[in-house]
Amino acid sequence: MTDIYEDIRKGEKGALVSIAAYVILSAFKLVCGYLFASSALLADGFNNLTDIVASLAVLIGLRISRKPPDSDHTYGHFRAETIAALMASFIMALVGIQVIVEAVRSLFEGAKATPQLWSAGVALVCAVAMMGVYIYNKRLAKRINNHALMAAAKDNFSDAIVSVGAAVGIVGAQFGLPWIDSAAAIGVGLLIIKTAWDIFRDSTYRLTDGFDEDKLLDLRSTIARTPGVEGIKDLKARVHGNHVLVDVVVEVNARMTVMEGHEISDSIEERMTKLHNIMHVQVHVEPKE
């Protein structure tokens, strides 16, 4: 259990990295946007301010999930992590819709003052920086199996793409093609909404105790090969934050003693921990009819 809480603590570091990056990059974009008369860069900067809220939601969710079990939450608070990812998906969807609305409005407003080309360079530098944050958080999220941090990483990737889109629009304006800015923004907005939908779908699937059937078959195979197990009457599994809870009813020889049945249960728990990194297994032993 100590390792699980330590992994969550590592996830908090990733969320803090995201927040720090958004604060620095949003300030940089806003200042440069005003200096170089770039509405695309200004919009990107304000977008990053919104992303600070999403990263804060992830950080708060991780902090809550690190709380130990209590009388009201005997399984712990690990699902706060999944709820944080769900909240991040809502914020991302709102940002995506806002990007599309602003792009359509800009398309109908017509020509604007041409921004300085320097602003495109600023957008690309920020995109590279945010891509670095994305790679860091994605690798960390995979290593510690953290759903909320993976949602934050996907948000980082979306913001890197937004900055690339802003750069494309700025360059297009230099050639008298302001519509490229709006077209790129609409594409970026749709990408953000698609990413938000993927996170929302995965989060709701986990919160409603959905579990991958192929993984369940792997668990069943491991339990079936345990010495002394003569059958599996029932098997259930669900995701609880960054780990899995398993409930299984196994059948054993009816003439076994209680001690022998207990040893089989211990063996199942050890195999599940060793082969699948599952720490919580509830085994019920029944006599084979």
Side-chain angles (χ1 to χ4, degrees):
M1 186 65 71
T2 304
D3 291 339
I4 293 174
Y5 289 120
E6 182 60 32
D7 284 346
I8 296 174
R9 189 177 288 106
K10 292 177 182 177
E12 290 178 14
K13 293 179 181 178
L16 287 171
V17 168
S18 287
I19 293 171
Y22 284 133
V23 169
I24 295 170
L25 293 180
S26 62
F28 185 48
K29 290 174 185 176
L30 291 173
V31 171
C32 292
Y34 282 114
L35 290 177
F36 301 136
S38 173
S39 57
L41 201 56
L42 285 172
D44 194 9
F46 284 118
N47 169 42
N48 285 161
L49 290 177
T50 308
D51 292 314
I52 294 174
V53 179
S55 294
L56 278 172
V58 170
L59 179 62
I60 292 170
L62 291 172
R63 286 278 170 89
I64 294 174
S65 67
R66 196 151 52 87
K67 291 175 61 178
D70 53 34
S71 58
D72 292 335
H73 302 82
T74 52
Y75 285 101
H77 299 76
F78 298 112
R79 278 194 172 172
E81 170 193 319
T82 312
I83 294 172
L86 189 65
M87 292 176 62
S89 73
F90 291 146
I91 296 172
M92 287 179 66
L94 290 174
V95 170
I97 292 170
Q98 181 186 2
V99 168
I100 293 174
V101 170
E102 291 298 326
V104 173
R105 182 183 301 169
S106 176
L107 196 61
F108 284 102
E109 281 179 356
K112 294 182 180 179
T114 303
Q116 295 183 34
L117 192 57
W118 281 105
S119 55
V122 171
L124 287 176
V125 168
C126 292
V128 171
M130 189 51 65
M131 191 62 74
V133 175
Y134 159 70
I135 293 171
Y136 171 80
N137 278 337
K138 181 183 178 181
R139 288 177 177 174
L140 179 59
K142 283 186 174 181
R143 189 165 68 247
I144 65 177
N145 190 29
N146 194 290
H147 182 57
L149 187 59
M150 183 58 76
K154 290 179 179 179
D155 190 24
N156 299 150
F157 179 76
S158 296
D159 290 313
I161 299 300
V162 168
S163 294
V164 171
V168 170
I170 293 166
V171 172
Q174 308 299 314
F175 295 95
L177 301 171
W179 59 269
I180 291 181
D181 184 16
S182 299
I186 290 172
V188 166
L190 291 173
L191 176 63
I192 294 174
I193 291 173
K194 170 65 166 57
T195 304
W197 167 251
D198 290 341
I199 296 172
F200 171 82
R201 183 178 57 186
D202 189 37
S203 298
T204 52
Y205 184 72
R206 289 167 176 255
L207 288 172
T208 53
D209 287 341
F211 196 80
D212 185 82
E213 292 183 3
D214 291 335
K215 291 182 179 178
L216 197 62
L217 286 174
D218 287 341
L219 301 182
R220 177 179 288 272
S221 177
T222 298
I223 295 170
R225 292 197 304 268
T226 304
V229 174
E230 297 190 5
I232 299 175
K233 207 167 185 180
D234 189 30
L235 175 63
K236 298 185 182 73
R238 52 198 166 105
V239 178
H240 191 66
N242 63 341
H243 63 291
V244 176
L245 305 179
V246 175
D247 296 289
V248 60
V249 178
V250 297
E251 294 178 315
V252 300
N253 190 315
R255 297 182 179 179
M256 275 191 174
T257 64
V258 173
M259 180 60 72
E260 289 171 331
H262 177 69
E263 288 175 354
I264 291 175
S265 296
D266 285 346
S267 180
I268 291 173
E269 292 173 5
E270 289 172 5
R271 290 167 68 90
M272 298 296 276
T273 300
K274 182 179 179 180
L275 300 177
H276 302 283
N277 197 31
I278 294 176
M279 307 298 177
H280 295 271
V281 184
Q282 183 69 38
V283 183
H284 178 72
V285 178
E286 290 190 359
K288 177 76 171 179
E289 295 180 0

